[in-house]
Amino acid sequence: MTVARTVELEGHIIDSGMMQQCFGVVMDLGGNFDVEEFEVGEHKDAESYCRMTVTADDEDSLREILHELNQHGAHLSNPPNATLKPAPGDRVVPHGFYSTTNHPTKVRYEDEWLPVENIEMDCAVVVKPADEDSDDAPRAYTKVLNAIEEGDLVVADEAGVRVDPPERPRGSSGPFGFMQGGVSAERPSGSLIREIAEAIAETKADGGSVLAVAGPAVIHAGAGDALARLVREGYVDMLSAGNGFAVHDLERGQYGTSLGMDVETMESPRKGHKHHIYTISEIIRAGGIEEAVEQGLVEEGVMYECVENDAPYVLAGSIRDDGPLPDTITDAVEAQNAIREQAHEADLVIMLSTLLHSVAVGNCLPSTTKVVCVDINPATVTQLLDRGSAQAIGMVTDVGTFVPKLAEVLVEE
Amino acid sequence: MTVARTVELEGHIIDSGMMQQCFGVVMDLGGNFDVEEFEVGEHKDAESYCRMTVTADDEDSLREILHELNQHGAHLSNPPNATLKPAPGDRVVPHGFYSTTNHPTKVRYEDEWLPVENIEMDCAVVVKPADEDSDDAPRAYTKVLNAIEEGDLVVADEAGVRVDPPERPRGSSGPFGFMQGGVSAERPSGSLIREIAEAIAETKADGGSVLAVAGPAVIHAGAGDALARLVREGYVDMLSAGNGFAVHDLERGQYGTSLGMDVETMESPRKGHKHHIYTISEIIRAGGIEEAVEQGLVEEGVMYECVENDAPYVLAGSIRDDGPLPDTITDAVEAQNAIREQAHEADLVIMLSTLLHSVAVGNCLPSTTKVVCVDINPATVTQLLDRGSAQAIGMVTDVGTFVPKLAEVLVEE
Amino acid sequence: MTVARTVELEGHIIDSGMMQQCFGVVMDLGGNFDVEEFEVGEHKDAESYCRMTVTADDEDSLREILHELNQHGAHLSNPPNATLKPAPGDRVVPHGFYSTTNHPTKVRYEDEWLPVENIEMDCAVVVKPADEDSDDAPRAYTKVLNAIEEGDLVVADEAGVRVDPPERPRGSSGPFGFMQGGVSAERPSGSLIREIAEAIAETKADGGSVLAVAGPAVIHAGAGDALARLVREGYVDMLSAGNGFAVHDLERGQYGTSLGMDVETMESPRKGHKHHIYTISEIIRAGGIEEAVEQGLVEEGVMYECVENDAPYVLAGSIRDDGPLPDTITDAVEAQNAIREQAHEADLVIMLSTLLHSVAVGNCLPSTTKVVCVDINPATVTQLLDRGSAQAIGMVTDVGTFVPKLAEVLVEE
Amino acid sequence: MTVARTVELEGHIIDSGMMQQCFGVVMDLGGNFDVEEFEVGEHKDAESYCRMTVTADDEDSLREILHELNQHGAHLSNPPNATLKPAPGDRVVPHGFYSTTNHPTKVRYEDEWLPVENIEMDCAVVVKPADEDSDDAPRAYTKVLNAIEEGDLVVADEAGVRVDPPERPRGSSGPFGFMQGGVSAERPSGSLIREIAEAIAETKADGGSVLAVAGPAVIHAGAGDALARLVREGYVDMLSAGNGFAVHDLERGQYGTSLGMDVETMESPRKGHKHHIYTISEIIRAGGIEEAVEQGLVEEGVMYECVENDAPYVLAGSIRDDGPLPDTITDAVEAQNAIREQAHEADLVIMLSTLLHSVAVGNCLPSTTKVVCVDINPATVTQLLDRGSAQAIGMVTDVGTFVPKLAEVLVEE
């Protein structure tokens, strides 16, 4: 006794790898397939089409296969409406809930496809039916586990869900055509920086938003001025960082000008961790970063430019923080929500030397957002690129030379 | 015009490096010194004594030199009482506050030396005067910035503060004599594991407490059973981890036994991130980890053994968490406080494949606590050992083979 | 004006990724394709077939496309005989020479397919015509550049060359089915070691040869005894290493027993680099490693077991060597030839903590040889696996715990 | 029964750490000491003096202690003449031979101190007595093991040997004062590059020689033009590299201009390893690199500039080489000798992204030569700096941005 369903694939299913992955999924999970129809695009611009029957030993195995196929872009023929189950409690999903990918997704509801709003991975999909009173149309959107409320109508199983993984850009098509999702250790650094600059410039030219995610190493490595310049010149619209980044930046901005200490000297002698704590204390006394800028306590740096140029920033707290600053969001769930909001607005994200914050931001990004990830540790770059953006570039380099060069190319050329 | 003060050093000041460091401090910071008296211990068990006058161009430079000298164990001759200044506001330190090291410290108050309680680095020292009504003696203790309350009597400057950095153990003296604070890439792994096991066994034999700090890699690498065994057999008394560690462990414990899935099979196919979310959802439904264990939902694993053996655990939240679990402390300041409490109770801390949690715990440790740090990334081990424990061992190895071998040696030998 | 040729693909061309790669090659290199016939294997055990016409702007572009297609297993329809050009000088290849992959390859000569002997990558293919006098049949074999002699008949261009890249094993098929060419950081270390042990045991059971490539870290990490045990018990048949590995091993074997020094003590105090030089000096005085074993100067260790068990070893010299030992081949070309010979005999190669020697051996391996690569540095493992073996496993772990555990599983279970 | 000897230390023995190390040596090796006289320099510019009696249980232990003390700069009081023993055979040292450090060293011969010529570590010291016929004075020089000839008078034991480890530069003294032998991850990259440029400029201004040691990553990362510029402008006087570096550079120089291929395009498509082999083949056909430059086959690049500017280069072979080029020295011992000669001439060595060649060069350097080590892998930098140069700087950065910036600063400022 076996069970079967028919699925369809269409598009650039061969050269994008979709077909290979789908065939692989069926084999890996112990199923079988019969190809019923296959029309190959006869030249490189033509789309292909494949319809096949997938067979498995039992319903559970079949469901698992269909789940994976669905996530790779294979869709059920004659899709039924999605199954909706009420959440049994706050922050509790029904058994068999559908867990999202980061790819564009639709759910079938009352025989129509509803696009899922705010797509991001590892969420549930909640359907809000039409509201006759207010005339609101039905909607589908993602909810993270901790946002689920009892009674929410949660999509369960794969049926009636349709995922459309973006086909990877190929050749010279588009700004990110120069590298297809790889970490290139063998690419000339200079040309790669130029190409990243071009991608940022194009995003800005198209009216898009650039989000910088920055770790404290940006300041230590001496790239603070260059990042501040990118904010001032409008190439970075938003900042996502941690308490440590802000404190190191403010310490430079505060001690560098207002208290008369030479920035270079300050760094060269001993650790001076006391300055670190004292900086936080003074910002607390001022009432926050914005107030410290207004009071003239801080006169330069990345945080200063964010305040002066209305570039919103999210400072997320962590257990290794000193202080923290009044601006730091210490609750992880609240911080995630703030990060989520920024991530959804960004068209291009540049991640600079921070694994923690980059993963947090990356978790909230749809696969269609452009991502540039820069770190001196190749393992960090690989880990970030593995999270499934379709348009991601990794560069293993030193932020201390990278950001100044990037700013030079963007601002001066 | 120069200013001068007299300082003294005593103990194994030459072979412990204290004297070299103190001379270096004076030179690096632009001061000068005149050695007035120097008695060298004439053989290896004898202590030495040095008294010297330190000169600088101005009071600020001198204060900076004395600050550094103090942190390396050189004390002012004829120490005055410590300067106390009231905190000008909640979470605000007075100008010139004294910032702690992680070494044993005393402050001079009313011509007596008060030992500073709960010493940890980068804190302020608060003195609570004697309370005549309750007959309480005066006390001095550390406070992190966010615990400072307006009016707290905070120690300022170096005067009246005495730091006693532990002399590093030398030769075969003591359990950690086998390695003096280094990361040894050239040590035989087998012997090193045996020596770490011995240090843990001695700590337990002396009635001490062992705290394990564990990252999710412990579970991925297949070392979960071995760590669970160490908890069950009483070699690990407390656990400090994050939401991710607990979820991965619970997912194994939950799906491995209660829902009938084979643990090995579960790991080998595709990611199954859905299980991850579902595990959290079910723990939330149960009401928490302890409740899940009581209800029989979880029947094995590290968290299970912690519950069954009353080993307290702290799960600290972070912005990359899914869920989180009800047991996870999402507020970074609250989580730090919980970590601090555990850290102060620990006699030996073993850090397993997590930089974030290890730094957070390490920040709260006095330099006298033994630390074992294990990671496959040498940069992580180096960074953790740099934080100044006097009795720290680093080992660059695979936790997936390390923990099972450690458990085997401890339990079976 | 465009130029065109017809190529064919057959086999598991979809799930092995061959078809995706071929379509990608054409697009990346600016060509176009028209699929003329496509028969997809209708279920997972059936093979597929595709015939397509590839078009390019000029002959040069087309040749480049065909070169790449050929290396991915697409073959020209109606293949002509291979073009043979005489080498214009010793160590000089003719213009347009065919450069090999490491996959099984045939060349068409007098309308027959000759299999290319001793296939390895980046070589030329030389055809030796039939010899009428001796009745020898025609042969084709690889030659590295420095072995080319003036007048050799060297294959030029792609025409008449057929490459058959092995299809990657899938699912549970074969001993290496457990991992498909990836570096798994998230696999349980214990199970992975067991599976590697099984692959070695199967190779031995099938009468195959196991070659160990070992760096000095094997000795430093304390895995020398375990590797010696694998040689003694017949699980390792050949050794490829450098001068440093042998000297460290001999120093232990020599000072550990014959000169009465305790091995553990010897390692723990200071560097004792003098022992290193003295060990070499004594082996030179004895006349070589074999002589030193015969004279009783060395009584244990990896080199000792190699001599006693007739396990051939190649010690390749390098510019950072001390000494070197009389057994070390100091000329790089001679050493490569010795390595090549061993590599061609091996059925499974286990690479232990050495990038230099592993690359040298890997360069000489056909893609059909099984490879296990173990290093604590993930970049090393990635680099080695990237070299194109179809059956390669990487494991990021500590050789100091890995080899003992592997030996334990192999010998005791 | 114990044995004893008197040793003396003088100089900046406290702040340079010499005294601490010497006391540590005695304790670690189980000896005891009695300080007989100790005069501490009373201020920071004054030297100190210490005389102590060292005691051990037997002559062997004492000899080991004295060996270590000697290497840290403690000298025997009333030094005897050095013990000389004839080498018992070619490439064989006498028992108990003295093994060199890389510090300035003298040996006592006929009651005079002879400076040891060509000091480098892990060598024997050979004394050539005065030659009455030729009036040559007696000399002492290092010999590596493979250069020892039967009958050479080799220094044995420590007696009559005097090592003077350079005191580390402190504060602002000298060009390398900015960093004292550390790898600084927390230094601003821009300032560090400026300081390195200054050190190179000072070396050149003083008439010194700069040796660049370069790996193939310099070319891959796009820094070839910048390194070529440094050769052309006279900032790099000598080059030490491997076959791979030269081939990659020549391939760019050859295909980039003479054969009409666009350098950028050549890098971006597929590997084109065939070009690599063909480049070597064409250089062989030309007769070597110099001939290829003369014949106009190569018109730019690092090797081109070396030929044009008479900058001598050593290309050392290795077992992973293709080809090799006719200029590559394939014998490891011959290559070491060529490297040694260059190393002895260099006043500043800059090591760029190659562990193998940097170790080989580093092995031949006295501790007084300045070393700059640049790599993106921190483990490589740490390993190279551990080899004991007194004036070494490490920088963890991307050579692809470092070399162009360095050239810009040196040439344009």
Side-chain angles (χ1 to χ4, degrees), chain A residues 20 28 33-34 42-43 170, chain C residues 20 28 33-34 42 170:
Chain A
Q20 176 194 358
D28 284 354
F33 56 83
D34 281 281
E42 285 182 16
H43 46 87
R170 190 164 267 292
Chain C
Q20 176 194 357
D28 285 353
F33 56 82
D34 281 280
E42 286 182 16
R170 189 164 268 290

Side-chain angles (χ1 to χ4, degrees), chain D residues 201-217:
Chain D
E202 283 190 33
T203 298
K204 292 306 305 172
D206 294 349
S209 276
V210 175
L211 167 64
V213 187

Side-chain angles (χ1 to χ4, degrees), chain A residues 375-380, chain B residues 183 354-355 359 373-387 395-397, chain C residues 376 378, chain D residues 185 376-379 382 396:
Chain A
D375 204 288
I376 203 153
N377 183 348
T380 298
Chain B
V183 183
T354 165
L355 181 59
V359 168
C373 170
V374 178
D375 205 287
I376 203 152
N377 184 347
T380 298
V381 176
T382 304
Q383 188 177 340
L384 290 171
L385 292 195
D386 273 357
R387 303 187 81 77
M395 186 173 174
V396 178
T397 190
Chain C
I376 203 152
Chain D
I376 203 154
N377 183 348
T382 303
V396 178

